[in-house]
Amino acid sequence: MTIIVLEDGEKAIVDYLSKGRYDRARSRNAETLPLNNTNDKYFSDRTGLFAELALAKLTNVYPSQVFSPLCKTKDSGSDVGDIQYKGWSIDVKSTIHNKGVLWINKINNNIDLYAFFVVTENEETVTCELKGVITGKELHAKPKRERQPQFKFPCIYAEQNELITWEEFEKNGFSIWYRNRWSKSN
């Protein structure tokens, strides 16, 4: 189990950035999915940013995508994930639910790896538990399906037991990468 704790200052940065990210996305008519029962319109962006910053902290990679004011979309082809790490384009997904699933509603072929976090926001800190990772190739091969009662729309998802641990990825990442690159070209 990999746990990253974000301190008070990091939490304040995310609070500020989530408002800008949400407002920029809505000004570009980005879709808002009804995911959580909260009146806080910044909630989903804030939760996602916590997880993105946690992965940047874990990998010791400067969080340029986290701090970027640019809105990059899957449809434009400019979205290359949240973190670039050891040649991998990693997209970070998050939830507040301990038994949640990693899900996407659109395939982004620029993504090599998806990382899935469960985020717990406390008074002064945020705990981000990295549940595991899955390659884009593996996730993209799954069919779009419904998962009732959690989602009211079909999506592509992986259960937590289908993910590999971060430690396993770090240990065998190159061989996973090589298998996926090799099979993309054949």
Side-chain angles (χ1 to χ4, degrees):
M1 174 169 37
T2 303
I3 295 178
I4 301 96
V5 176
L6 302 178
E7 303 298 330
D8 193 34
E10 294 165 319
K11 187 174 184 276
I13 288 169
V14 167
D15 285 339
Y16 174 77
L17 292 173
S18 64
K19 294 173 183 168
R21 181 181 281 191
Y22 177 91
D23 292 340
R24 277 189 303 280
R26 299 304 92 54
S27 72
R28 295 176 61 131
N29 299 319
E31 181 181 17
T32 302
L33 296 172
L35 300 175
N36 293 297
N37 296 330
T38 178
N39 290 330
D40 180 359
K41 66 182 180 179
Y42 303 117
F43 177 82
S44 292
D45 284 284
R46 189 171 59 249
T47 302
L49 277 165
F50 284 140
E52 292 167 22
L53 188 57
L55 186 61
K57 192 172 181 176
L58 174 68
T59 58
N60 201 28
V61 172
Y62 185 78
S64 58
Q65 295 293 85
V66 174
F67 295 144
S68 176
L70 301 175
C71 292
K72 297 180 179 180
T73 65
K74 292 172 199 70
D75 292 338
S76 71
S78 62
D79 180 359
V80 293
D82 301 308
I83 299 286
Q84 301 298 308
Y85 178 66
K86 294 184 178 180
W88 290 77
S89 293
I90 305 175
D91 199 17
V92 177
K93 300 298 180 186
S94 62
T95 186
I96 59 167
H97 306 288
N98 283 324
K99 300 205 185 289
V101 298
L102 184 159
W103 67 274
I104 58 175
N105 61 345
K106 289 183 183 178
I107 290 176
N108 181 349
N109 289 316
N110 294 328
I111 303 304
D112 298 311
L113 192 73
Y114 290 90
F116 183 61
F117 283 87
V118 172
V119 176
T120 305
E121 190 173 357
N122 305 303
E123 185 78 26
E124 293 182 17
T125 62
V126 177
T127 303
C128 300
E129 184 178 349
L130 178 52
K131 293 293 190 172
V133 298
I134 188 170
T135 64
K137 180 180 178 178
E138 290 173 278
L139 186 62
H140 299 163
K142 293 179 173 293
K144 232 180 202 191
R145 53 201 168 138
E146 294 194 18
R147 189 173 195 267
Q148 296 293 334
Q150 190 174 23
F151 299 119
K152 294 168 180 40
F153 49 87
C155 59
I156 300 168
Y157 63 88
E159 302 284 348
Q160 289 183 29
N161 64 358
E162 297 176 82
L163 308 176
I164 64 168
T165 66
W166 181 256
E167 293 77 15
E168 181 69 18
F169 167 71
E170 282 284 85
K171 182 178 168 187
N172 297 311
F174 182 76
S175 62
I176 295 168
W177 176 85
Y178 182 78
R179 271 196 316 268
N180 286 323
R181 293 291 179 195
W182 182 81
S183 60
K184 281 182 184 178
S185 63
N186 289 325

